[in-house]
Amino acid sequence: MDSDPPFHETYKTLFAVTKPLNNEWLASVTAVEELELPLIDLTWLSLESPEKERCKNDIARAANEWGFFQVVNHGISRDVLEKMRDEQVKVFKQPFQHKCREDKFMNVSAGSYRWGTPTATCLRQLSWSEAFHIPMTDISSLGDTSIFSSSSLHQFATKVASLAQKLAEILAEKSGKKSTFFQENSLPSTCYLRLNRYPPCPIPLFGLMPHTDSDFLTVLYQDQVGGLQLVKDGKWVAVKPNPEALFINIGDLFQAWSNDCYKSVQHCAVTNPAKERYSVAYFFCPSYDTVIESCSSDKPSVYRRFSFKEYRQQVQEDVQNYGYKIGLPRFLV
């Protein structure tokens, strides 16, 4: 049984309609240049000031100027990362029909497995990828009958959750809002993992559509194939892979909470014609009832108060009505 989703058969109409736009399409998914993100060595956080403070300042500066940065010496061993990658390969090589019946054959919640873009009306709206969305609360309940190794997932998730909490508290402190907000509102029970696979694609397509993340921050572990792109100074650039690093990006909620001190920037994944690509993202989210309130001592609030539930509902409504997410502009004062 084939493990790949039936992209060509399912979206054959879109391929036929979009063929005349090939040159324009190629330009739209090809970045101008490859850049290396700000690199931050977290070893400095274990030292005394001023090195520790300099490291914190570097984190805040990268979140403000880029919205993305990479961290090394992050406390997650190579062994844990490699086991996570092996786990992904094993899971995604399962027959496609089994993945579609994940509750029966893989012992994970129904709806965890997703692929393509059901609402796509053109190739620009199609994500050439498949993914498992796994809430942190589900990881500990994976039993012996699950194709997933609860040990591998739990080790990775626990470590990356701790890292996300640490970085969020540093960013809060450096925005002048040092508090227990994240400890109280962003618990492991409100966060989730997304395991991604991007199959080889014969023509240039998005593996994941351009978007911003609807969370506080995201921690990404990716392989060395490359394909992550982001907007910097108004243009798309490719992110150079780094085998030693984890990649961090600011989400919409942190931009609002920090009153635009930190930036949630558009990013995407593009396909590779010959190689499959794997990544796993940890989304640092609050509970649905958490209220996001932007405030600053030196300027008025940019956004009105809103709950995470309200934000998610608005995003879903916009995607359904317009085919894309509008995001934070909906919540401007």
Side-chain angles (χ1 to χ4, degrees):
M1 297 176 69
D2 196 358
S3 63
D4 279 345
F7 286 106
H8 289 285
E9 178 62 27
T10 303
Y11 298 105
K12 59 185 178 183
T13 303
L14 301 188
F15 279 95
V17 170
T18 312
K19 279 181 180 178
L21 302 176
N22 194 51
N23 289 337
E24 179 184 351
W25 177 254
L26 179 62
S28 70
V29 296
T30 303
V32 176
E33 61 180 320
E34 184 179 65
L35 296 180
E36 190 166 327
L37 295 180
L39 179 65
I40 298 170
D41 185 348
L42 298 186
T43 301
W44 297 108
L45 292 178
S46 62
L47 303 178
E48 298 299 324
S49 297
E51 290 85 358
K52 183 176 183 177
E53 288 306 310
R54 187 180 303 119
C55 183
K56 289 181 177 181
N57 290 334
D58 289 344
I59 291 171
R61 185 180 307 109
N64 172 266
E65 297 177 359
W66 285 77
F68 264 84
F69 55 95
Q70 53 184 330
V71 296
V72 294
N73 293 316
H74 38 65
I76 305 176
S77 70
R78 173 57 53 188
D79 180 63
V80 169
L81 295 177
E82 289 178 352
K83 285 181 178 177
M84 184 69 247
R85 165 62 193 270
D86 292 343
E87 188 67 19
Q88 284 187 270
V89 174
K90 178 187 71 175
V91 168
F92 281 113
K93 291 306 179 186
Q94 298 300 306
F96 173 68
Q97 295 302 327
H98 286 196
K99 289 182 286 190
C100 289
R101 292 293 309 278
E102 67 273 60
D103 55 332
K104 178 179 180 180
F105 292 103
M106 308 183 79
N107 196 28
V108 292
S109 301
S112 298
Y113 178 67
R114 306 170 191 183
W115 67 280
T117 310
T119 58
T121 59
C122 64
L123 287 185
R124 283 176 175 78
Q125 297 175 356
L126 174 60
S127 290
W128 191 274
S129 59
E130 56 179 334
F132 280 95
H133 291 241
I134 307 179
M136 291 288 283
T137 49
D138 285 2
I139 293 176
S140 58
S141 62
L142 293 174
D144 295 336
T145 59
S146 174
I147 189 65
F148 288 95
S149 165
S150 59
S151 170
S152 297
L153 261 66
H154 188 267
Q155 275 189 309
F156 176 84
T158 301
K159 293 284 189 180
V160 80
S162 176
L163 174 62
Q165 186 74 239
K166 178 191 295 186
L167 292 173
E169 290 174 3
I170 290 171
L171 289 167
E173 175 189 340
K174 289 302 172 180
S175 69
K177 296 174 65 175
K178 187 175 183 179
S179 70
T180 58
F181 179 85
F182 295 105
Q183 293 178 4
E184 296 170 353
N185 294 286
S186 292
L187 306 173
S189 59
T190 66
C191 306
Y192 68 95
L193 291 179
R194 175 181 165 121
L195 281 61
N196 303 299
R197 175 180 176 261
Y198 304 92
C201 185
I203 64 173
L205 289 180
F206 288 120
L208 198 60
M209 285 283 296
H211 65 286
T212 57
D213 289 348
S214 301
D215 62 354
F216 279 116
L217 60 81
T218 305
V219 182
L220 179 75
Y221 168 54
Q222 63 170 354
D223 63 21
Q224 301 310 299
V225 173
L228 176 62
Q229 299 184 0
L230 59 87
V231 174
K232 174 61 175 168
D233 298 329
K235 66 177 182 179
W236 283 97
V237 297
V239 175
K240 186 177 181 180
N242 182 340
E244 303 301 322
L246 294 176
F247 294 81
I248 316 297
N249 68 276
I250 300 300
D252 298 343
L253 300 187
F254 223 140
Q255 176 169 330
W257 191 80
S258 70
N259 210 33
D260 279 355
C261 178
Y262 305 129
K263 303 298 188 293
S264 177
V265 302
Q266 277 217 323
H267 55 284
C268 70
V270 297
T271 55
N272 187 291
K275 299 177 181 178
E276 63 182 354
R277 174 177 177 258
Y278 289 92
S279 69
V280 56
Y282 174 80
F283 293 90
F284 188 60
C285 303
S287 65
Y288 271 20
D289 294 331
T290 299
V291 173
I292 309 301
E293 184 174 10
S294 60
C295 57
S296 173
S297 60
D298 58 354
K299 69 175 183 178
S301 295
V302 177
Y303 306 97
R304 65 173 178 83
R305 284 165 50 100
F306 60 89
S307 69
F308 184 39
K309 180 179 181 180
E310 182 184 1
Y311 191 75
R312 287 290 297 271
Q313 289 175 338
Q314 184 65 63
V315 167
Q316 292 167 2
E317 183 179 316
D318 287 339
V319 170
Q320 184 175 2
N321 292 337
Y322 306 109
Y324 58 90
K325 166 185 168 181
I326 295 176
L328 285 177
R330 285 285 197 191
F331 297 86
L332 291 169
V333 171

